[in-house]
Amino acid sequence: PQTRKMEQVFVMLARYLGSPQAEVRCEGYALAREMMIEGGEAGEGAFAALALFPEADADKMLDLYHGDPKQRPQLFTLWREQGRVVPRALLNRAELQGRDEALQEAALAYSASRPEIGVDLFRPYYAHLQSGVTPRCSGRLTALALWGALVRGETGSVEVLRRAVERENDAGIRFELLRLAALSADLQMLPVLRRLLEENPAQGARLLALNGSIEAIEILLEALSQAATMDAAARAWIRVSGTTLPQKPRLQMIGQDGGQGVMPDAESARAWWSQQRSALPPEGRMLYGEPLSLSRLYALAQGKAGEAGRDLLDLLAFKLGRPLGISPHAEQARRRSLLQAISATPPSQG
């Protein structure tokens, strides 16, 4: 019903889809498909329920894909959340060309997340950066394709990513490109991250912490002593040290009448870093208080949610050299089970 809120729809459908009785589940899936078509809050609730309770029979959703073009972007997003493998024919570039950009974005984001899909699918979307020709797709599609290449260890993808950052003018897309550069710990992009820190302290500090290199951490330490950036740097510092930075009275540093409140204790951060830096190799990275390693990533990725959880899953995928096929929104027990299965498979990249 249109009057129901998203949460009400989710709870109602979850009761159907979680039922031990097959006929009740079947009725629930039919209702969920109807609500997805309806859209609005009912559609959002149906999406959330279907993401948590995937339908065993994939044919019904494929029928919806072929029969209702408006649902196609949402269906690709749902399949990505579910970890569903879809027919490769749906991902052919010819299938997507000439269709709306929302569909192309959803299909490319899905493809980038799937370990069974090779790098060839992504190359046409960033070929213009290698040849210098006029781009034939949006910057957002280019960013999605570059993640698909980077996470698969494609040779030269880091260099192509640098060119994409140089050319991109849209702030949101540029941030996503810089996030990819931070995941790869590209030291050549640190001057750009420093400028981002000045322009948007929260974004810049987050990406410097995600980079985690010695050089990035020392930029963060500088930021802890600057009035304009200290609060953002302190919030990001936990991703470096694993602990919340202590605070001290703001008046101690400002030295002016009217100084109020508290400020991050930069000296505490410097003292901690002076002990850690000598144990970190020149190419090492620090992550939540310990040198970055696969075992550390597996442990952290099982428990962190939200923005931090997404960063950890993507960082783990980058280090493994293959997509995980795990949504950052996956329920914690399911995420843990999937990560444990992946940890039993040897990595293809350092």
Side-chain angles (χ1 to χ4, degrees):
Q2 293 182 347
T3 55
R4 284 180 171 164
K5 297 293 185 183
M6 179 268 192
E7 295 82 0
Q8 294 174 313
V9 171
F10 171 78
V11 170
M12 178 193 68
L13 288 175
R15 289 173 179 156
Y16 278 94
L17 306 185
S19 171
Q21 300 177 15
E23 61 273 20
V24 175
R25 294 197 302 273
C26 185
E27 182 182 351
Y29 284 119
L31 185 58
R33 287 191 293 273
E34 290 177 9
M35 289 183 166
M36 278 190 67
I37 295 170
E38 178 183 320
E41 291 206 43
E44 292 176 11
F47 182 99
L50 288 167
L52 188 61
F53 298 96
E55 189 171 9
D57 181 5
D59 290 343
K60 298 292 186 182
M61 285 300 185
L62 287 173
D63 290 343
L64 182 58
Y65 178 92
H66 291 298
D68 189 345
K70 290 188 297 184
Q71 298 300 318
R72 289 173 180 173
Q74 184 175 215
L75 285 170
F76 267 118
T77 304
L78 177 62
W79 289 328
R80 178 160 59 97
E81 290 295 316
Q82 294 175 333
R84 175 87 69 182
V85 177
V86 304
R88 183 61 184 268
L90 300 187
L91 302 170
N92 289 338
R93 198 158 184 249
E95 162 78 8
L96 301 176
Q97 281 179 331
R99 302 187 187 276
D100 64 279
E101 180 138 325
L103 174 58
Q104 293 187 59
E105 287 182 17
L108 209 55
Y110 168 86
S111 301
S113 74
R114 296 306 308 163
E116 70 275 3
I117 295 175
V119 74
D120 288 350
L121 184 145
F122 305 99
R123 289 175 180 148
Y125 292 92
Y126 57 81
H128 63 278
L129 293 167
Q130 297 170 304
S131 63
V133 301
T134 302
R136 299 181 61 185
C137 64
S138 70
R140 196 169 302 281
L141 287 173
T142 298
L144 289 167
L146 280 171
W147 171 238
L150 193 70
V151 74
R152 289 163 174 80
E154 172 77 335
T155 302
S157 56
V158 171
E159 291 76 10
V160 177
L161 176 58
R162 292 173 192 153
R163 292 179 204 153
V165 171
E166 290 174 5
R167 297 185 184 188
E168 186 55 59
N169 294 318
D170 181 278
I173 298 172
R174 198 163 190 266
F175 173 76
E176 286 303 317
L177 292 168
L178 287 173
R179 179 178 173 275
L180 300 185
L183 285 167
S184 65
D186 183 3
L187 298 184
Q188 291 193 33
M189 296 303 294
L190 286 180
V192 184
L193 293 186
R194 186 190 286 272
R195 287 196 296 274
L196 180 64
L197 177 68
E198 296 168 356
E199 298 164 2
N200 188 318
Q203 288 186 352
R206 172 191 167 190
L207 295 190
L208 286 165
L210 181 58
N211 179 293
S213 65
I214 290 173
E215 295 83 353
I217 291 171
E218 292 184 346
I219 295 174
L220 265 183
L221 282 171
E222 294 174 21
L224 285 169
S225 298
Q226 303 296 321
T229 55
M230 61 173 58
D231 291 334
R235 287 191 296 271
W237 188 253
I238 190 171
R239 299 194 184 200
V240 174
S241 69
T243 58
T244 301
L245 195 61
Q247 295 182 319
K248 63 181 182 181
R250 187 173 293 270
L251 186 61
Q252 288 184 10
M253 176 181 162
I254 301 299
Q256 298 177 348
D257 292 339
Q260 299 294 325
V262 294
M263 59 182 286
D265 187 352
E267 290 304 318
S268 174
R270 290 191 189 94
W272 177 86
W273 178 235
S274 67
Q275 295 178 337
Q276 303 299 321
R277 178 174 176 173
S278 59
L280 197 65
E283 70 284 0
R285 301 169 70 175
M286 189 64 69
L287 182 71
Y288 287 94
E290 295 182 20
L292 188 150
S293 65
L294 284 177
S295 60
R296 183 68 173 150
L297 280 170
Y298 276 119
L300 289 167
Q302 290 184 35
K304 298 285 184 183
E307 181 184 272
R310 180 195 174 205
D311 286 346
L312 288 165
L313 287 171
D314 285 351
L315 186 52
L316 176 58
F318 173 77
K319 296 298 290 183
L320 289 172
R322 62 177 185 266
L324 304 180
I326 302 174
S327 166
H329 308 117
E331 188 267 332
Q332 191 174 30
R334 181 169 181 267
R335 182 194 305 190
R336 185 180 298 112
S337 175
L338 292 169
L339 285 170
Q340 288 171 351
I342 291 170
S343 68
T345 307
S348 61
Q349 175 179 317

